[in-house]
């Protein structure tokens, strides 16, 4: 069992739809990070949230850190085919632990 | 800018053979990590280091050893490879535990 549980594991939607993916844990983290990974490459950071209740917006992406700093969500508005990829959350304390990821496919 | 460089990129080992994966970073980062990525499992932490000369176990350390003799290098060793160690291995480095982690391109290891 991984420290961070991500849901859903797979998500396939049409271009223009909205979606939310979740990252949950029973542990408290100093910060929570979201990464996106393309095939054959390493993950690349999207955002870091550090304060309970914090909300960050990056264009069409909205990230929220839970009040208790145990969970987070990523909301994408009007998804585009370029959003296709593996989305990973990572919790940090003394080290960095990842969830299993959500594989998103956005069809044109 | 090189960032994080992993060598080799691909390797096939026979069961029982040993090998060392090298990770080098040129960003003067204190933290370095080794992960393995298997289908449906995301990234699982093998070992990590918070500075030169230090190492610590992660989630799945059995069968692996590491060394951080120089700040810029983090080595991952497999003493006696097993088919269960077939995976893609990623190295990462960061300024601190909460800072952005920069990843290498990965090493695809197959143990037959």
């Amino acid at each position: 069992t991984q420290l961070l549980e991500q849901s859903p594991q797979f998500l396939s939607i049409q271009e223009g739809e909205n979606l939310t993916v979740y990252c949950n844990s029973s542990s408290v983290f100093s910060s929570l990070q979201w990464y996106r990974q393309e095939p054959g490459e390493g993950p690349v950071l999207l955002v870091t949230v550090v304060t309970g209740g914090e909300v960050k917006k990056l264009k069409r992406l909205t990230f929220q850190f839970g009040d208790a700093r145990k969970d987070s969500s990523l909301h994408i508005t009007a998804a585009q085919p370029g959003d296709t990829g593996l989305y990973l959350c990572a919790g940090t304390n003394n080290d960095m632990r990842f969830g299993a990821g959500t594989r998103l496919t956005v069809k044109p | 800018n090189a960032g994080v460089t992993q060598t080799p990129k691909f390797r096939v080992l026979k069961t029982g053979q040993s090998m060392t994966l090298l990770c080098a970073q040129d960003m003067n980062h204190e933290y370095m990590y080794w992960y393995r990525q298997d289908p449906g499992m995301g990234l699982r932490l093998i070992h990590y280091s918070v500075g030169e000369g230090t190492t610590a176990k992660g989630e799945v350390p059995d069968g692996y050893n590491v060394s951080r003799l120089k700040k810029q290098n983090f080595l991952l060793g497999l003493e006696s490879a097993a088919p269960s160690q077939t995976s893609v291995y990623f190295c990462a480095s960061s300024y601190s535990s909460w800072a952005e982690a920069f990843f290498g391109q990965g090493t695809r290891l197959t143990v037959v």
Side-chain angles (χ1 to χ4, degrees), chain B residues 9 42 48 53 58 67 76 92 98 112:
Chain B
K9 290 184 171 49
Y48 66 101
S67 65
L76 178 70
W98 49 263
V112 298

Side-chain angles (χ1 to χ4, degrees), chain A residues 92-97, chain B residues 25 28-35 45-58 66-75 92-99:
Chain A
T92 72
N93 283 312
N94 293 324
D95 58 24
M96 183 179 296
R97 305 284 177 107
Chain B
Q25 54 97 2
N28 201 34
H29 285 165
E30 293 292 339
Y31 283 67
M32 296 188 75
Y33 308 87
W34 275 108
Y35 295 91
L45 181 64
I46 304 172
H47 287 280
Y48 66 101
S49 169
V50 301
E52 181 179 315
T54 74
T55 63
K57 294 181 180 180
V66 289
S67 65
R68 183 108 181 260
L69 298 179
K70 293 183 179 181
K71 187 176 184 178
Q72 63 267 34
N73 296 334
F74 196 28
L75 279 63
S93 73
S94 64
Y95 175 74
S96 69
S97 63
W98 49 263

Side-chain angles (χ1 to χ4, degrees), chain A residues 2 33 35 37 93 96-97, chain B residues 35 37 41 59 97-98:
Chain A
Q2 293 189 251
Q33 300 180 341
Y35 289 79
Q37 186 178 21
N93 283 312
M96 183 179 296
R97 305 284 177 107
Chain B
Y35 295 91
Q37 187 169 34
M41 301 293 291
E59 302 169 82
S97 63
W98 49 263

Side-chain angles (χ1 to χ4, degrees), chain A residues 26-108:
Chain A
S26 58
S27 298
V28 177
F29 295 105
S30 300
S31 72
L32 201 294
Q33 300 180 341
W34 285 91
Y35 289 79
R36 179 176 154 191
Q37 186 178 21
E38 303 287 347
E41 298 184 6
V44 176
L45 181 71
L46 295 172
V47 78
T48 300
V49 285
V50 296
T51 304
E54 181 177 2
V55 177
K56 278 192 176 179
K57 291 198 71 173
L58 296 175
K59 297 184 181 178
R60 295 177 294 102
L61 277 61
T62 301
F63 304 85
Q64 185 162 8
F65 201 12
D67 291 341
R69 305 208 322 274
K70 294 181 179 181
D71 52 81
S72 180
S73 64
L74 159 59
H75 181 80
I76 301 178
T77 303
Q80 300 176 358
D83 295 327
T84 293
L86 178 66
Y87 289 81
L88 295 156
C89 67
T92 72
N93 283 312
N94 293 324
D95 58 24
M96 183 179 296
R97 305 284 177 107
F98 282 81
T102 292
R103 189 165 297 280
L104 172 66
T105 302
V106 183
K107 301 177 203 175

